[in-house]
Amino acid sequence: MRILGCLDGTNSEQIQQAINRLVNSNEAVIGLIYVIDTRPRDEIGRKRSQLLRPLRSPMPQAERIEAAELAAAQDIFYEGKLNLPQAETIQRQGRPELEIVNTAAAWNADLIVIGTRSFQHLAPAIGPKSVGHIARFVLDHAPCPVLLVRPADSHGFPIDR
């Protein structure tokens, strides 16, 4: 079985627990993917060119941003591999939802494990637990089954009727 776990910087523990509950990690090929989202960089450049004059030398700033993103990716992979040391790491850049689906197809994944959204602390304690746009796209377009995981939430439980 080939399992692709999607890391977002906040969900490595959830992904690790889900994979470990599904299979013995020695019996499966596990890949951990992290996608550096390039949209914010592009949006910053567009806004700056619309509102202000362009920077004279944007390269040093762009290089610093890229170096920071690469360092963050390495930290996320380090955390992801703590409990899954045999996992293959796959780093991509672009739109996360497209990169996850395309990588799952190219990697011949049998299962994708993804979290609901990266900003769980913004979700209300009681009420609908919305699925973020990346998870929604992956659910709709994945070439294989998708396991959607979210952190355990004991706030407000049991619910009074």
Side-chain angles (χ1 to χ4, degrees):
M1 179 174 230
R2 296 176 63 83
I3 301 173
L4 183 64
C6 305
L7 300 177
D8 67 11
T10 63
N11 68 349
S12 65
E13 187 175 327
Q14 302 159 340
I15 299 296
Q16 292 165 3
Q17 287 176 356
I19 291 172
N20 286 332
R21 286 180 182 162
L22 283 173
V23 295
N24 181 346
S25 57
N26 296 326
E27 298 172 359
V29 177
I30 299 170
L32 297 175
I33 185 170
Y34 176 73
V35 181
I36 296 173
D37 191 350
T38 57
R39 285 180 293 191
R41 258 189 276 163
D42 298 339
E43 290 172 11
I44 289 171
R46 274 196 303 277
K47 285 296 180 192
R48 180 162 183 78
S49 66
Q50 288 173 355
L51 302 174
L52 304 169
R53 59 187 162 89
L55 291 173
R56 290 188 188 126
S57 59
M59 290 307 293
Q61 182 181 19
E63 289 171 0
R64 286 195 310 269
I65 291 171
E66 186 172 351
E69 289 172 338
L70 292 173
Q74 293 307 311
D75 290 345
I76 290 166
F77 281 135
Y78 173 78
E79 186 178 330
K81 289 190 73 155
L82 285 176
N83 291 330
L84 299 169
Q86 76 289 0
E88 174 186 344
T89 57
I90 304 166
Q91 182 179 318
R92 299 284 189 262
Q93 288 191 9
R95 293 182 58 191
E97 59 274 20
L98 292 174
E99 294 298 327
I100 291 168
V101 169
N102 290 336
T103 299
W107 196 68
N108 295 320
D110 295 313
L111 177 69
I112 298 172
V113 181
I114 190 168
T116 54
R117 61 176 46 240
S118 62
F119 300 105
Q120 282 295 327
H121 63 278
L122 297 178
I126 295 179
K129 302 291 187 206
S130 181
V131 175
H133 71 281
I134 294 170
R136 171 61 54 204
F137 187 91
V138 172
L139 286 168
D140 291 343
H141 300 283
C144 60
V146 177
L147 175 63
L148 187 66
V149 297
R150 66 176 188 213
D153 183 14
S154 59
H155 297 75
F157 291 101
I159 298 174
D160 294 329
R161 293 180 188 214

